[in-house]
Coordinates of all heavy atoms in Angstrom, one line a residue:
I1 N -49.7 9.2 -39.5 CA -50.6 8.4 -40.4 C -49.7 7.5 -41.2 O -48.8 7.9 -41.9 CB -51.5 9.3 -41.3 CG1 -52.3 10.3 -40.4 CG2 -52.4 8.5 -42.2 CD1 -52.9 11.4 -41.2
I2 N -50.0 6.2 -41.0 CA -49.3 5.3 -41.8 C -50.2 4.7 -43.0 O -51.2 4.2 -42.7 CB -48.8 4.1 -40.9 CG1 -47.9 4.7 -39.8 CG2 -48.0 3.1 -41.8 CD1 -47.5 3.6 -38.8
L3 N -49.7 4.8 -44.2 CA -50.4 4.2 -45.3 C -49.8 2.8 -45.6 O -48.6 2.7 -45.8 CB -50.1 5.1 -46.6 CG -50.8 6.4 -46.6 CD1 -50.4 7.2 -47.9 CD2 -52.3 6.2 -46.6
A4 N -50.7 1.9 -45.5 CA -50.2 0.5 -45.7 C -51.3 -0.1 -46.7 O -52.0 -1.1 -46.5 CB -50.2 -0.3 -44.4
I5 N -51.2 0.5 -48.0 CA -52.2 0.1 -49.0 C -51.4 -0.2 -50.3 O -50.2 0.3 -50.4 CB -53.3 1.3 -49.2 CG1 -52.5 2.6 -49.6 CG2 -54.1 1.5 -47.9 CD1 -53.5 3.7 -49.9
P6 N -52.0 -0.8 -51.2 CA -51.3 -1.0 -52.5 C -50.9 0.3 -53.1 O -51.6 1.3 -53.1 CB -52.4 -1.7 -53.4 CG -53.3 -2.4 -52.4 CD -53.4 -1.3 -51.2
F7 N -49.8 0.4 -53.8 CA -49.2 1.6 -54.3 C -50.2 2.3 -55.3 O -50.4 3.5 -55.2 CB -47.9 1.3 -55.2 CG -47.2 2.4 -55.7 CD1 -46.5 3.3 -54.9 CD2 -47.4 2.6 -57.1 CE1 -46.0 4.5 -55.5 CE2 -46.8 3.8 -57.7 CZ -46.2 4.6 -57.0
G8 N -50.9 1.6 -56.1 CA -51.8 2.2 -57.0 C -53.0 2.8 -56.4 O -53.7 3.7 -57.1
A9 N -53.3 2.5 -55.2 CA -54.5 3.0 -54.5 C -54.3 4.3 -53.8 O -55.2 5.0 -53.4 CB -55.1 2.1 -53.5
A10 N -53.0 4.8 -53.6 CA -52.6 5.9 -52.8 C -53.3 7.2 -53.4 O -53.8 8.1 -52.7 CB -51.2 6.1 -52.6
G11 N -53.3 7.4 -54.7 CA -53.9 8.6 -55.3 C -55.4 8.7 -55.0 O -55.8 9.9 -55.0
Q12 N -56.1 7.7 -54.7 CA -57.5 7.8 -54.3 C -57.7 8.5 -53.1 O -58.9 8.8 -52.8 CB -58.1 6.4 -54.5 CG -58.0 5.7 -55.8 CD -58.5 4.2 -55.8 OE1 -58.8 3.7 -54.7 NE2 -58.4 3.6 -56.9
L13 N -56.7 8.5 -52.2 CA -56.9 9.1 -50.8 C -56.4 10.6 -50.8 O -56.4 11.1 -49.7 CB -56.1 8.3 -49.9 CG -56.5 6.8 -49.7 CD1 -55.6 6.2 -48.7 CD2 -58.0 6.7 -49.4
A14 N -56.1 11.2 -52.0 CA -55.6 12.6 -52.0 C -56.5 13.5 -51.3 O -56.1 14.4 -50.4 CB -55.2 13.0 -53.4
G15 N -57.8 13.4 -51.5 CA -58.8 14.3 -50.9 C -58.9 14.1 -49.4 O -59.1 15.1 -48.7
L16 N -58.6 12.9 -48.9 CA -58.7 12.6 -47.5 C -57.5 13.5 -46.7 O -57.8 13.9 -45.7 CB -58.4 11.2 -47.3 CG -58.5 10.6 -45.9 CD1 -60.0 10.8 -45.4 CD2 -58.2 9.2 -45.8
F17 N -56.5 13.7 -47.5 CA -55.3 14.3 -46.8 C -55.3 15.8 -47.0 O -54.5 16.5 -46.5 CB -54.0 13.7 -47.4 CG -53.7 12.4 -46.8 CD1 -54.2 11.3 -47.4 CD2 -52.9 12.3 -45.7 CE1 -53.8 10.0 -46.9 CE2 -52.7 11.0 -45.1 CZ -53.2 9.9 -45.8
A18 N -56.3 16.4 -47.6 CA -56.4 17.8 -47.8 C -56.4 18.7 -46.5 O -55.9 19.7 -46.5 CB -57.6 18.2 -48.7
S19 N -57.0 18.1 -45.5 CA -57.2 18.9 -44.3 C -56.1 18.4 -43.2 O -56.2 18.9 -42.0 CB -58.6 18.6 -43.7 OG -58.7 17.3 -43.3
V20 N -55.2 17.6 -43.5 CA -54.2 17.1 -42.6 C -53.2 18.2 -42.4 O -52.6 18.7 -43.3 CB -53.5 15.8 -43.1 CG1 -52.3 15.4 -42.2 CG2 -54.5 14.7 -43.2
P21 N -52.9 18.6 -41.1 CA -51.9 19.7 -40.8 C -50.5 19.3 -41.3 O -50.2 18.1 -41.3 CB -51.9 19.7 -39.3 CG -53.3 19.1 -38.8 CD -53.6 18.0 -39.8
A22 N -49.7 20.3 -41.7 CA -48.4 20.0 -42.2 C -47.5 19.3 -41.2 O -46.6 18.7 -41.6 CB -47.8 21.4 -42.6
E23 N -47.7 19.5 -39.9 CA -46.9 18.9 -38.8 C -47.2 17.4 -38.6 O -46.5 16.6 -38.0 CB -46.9 19.6 -37.5 CG -48.2 19.6 -36.9 CD -49.2 20.8 -37.3 OE1 -48.8 21.6 -38.2 OE2 -50.2 21.0 -36.6
T24 N -48.3 16.8 -39.3 CA -48.6 15.5 -39.2 C -47.6 14.6 -40.0 O -47.3 14.9 -41.1 CB -50.0 15.2 -39.6 OG1 -50.9 15.9 -38.8 CG2 -50.4 13.7 -39.6
V25 N -47.0 13.6 -39.4 CA -46.1 12.7 -40.0 C -46.8 11.7 -40.9 O -47.8 11.0 -40.3 CB -45.1 12.0 -39.1 CG1 -44.2 11.0 -39.8 CG2 -44.3 13.0 -38.3

């Protein structure tokens, strides 16, 4: 998963990553 968003917006996606497996880069 590549994040290509403004730095300040990254925190808004925290819930989205809650179910991402640890081995996902």
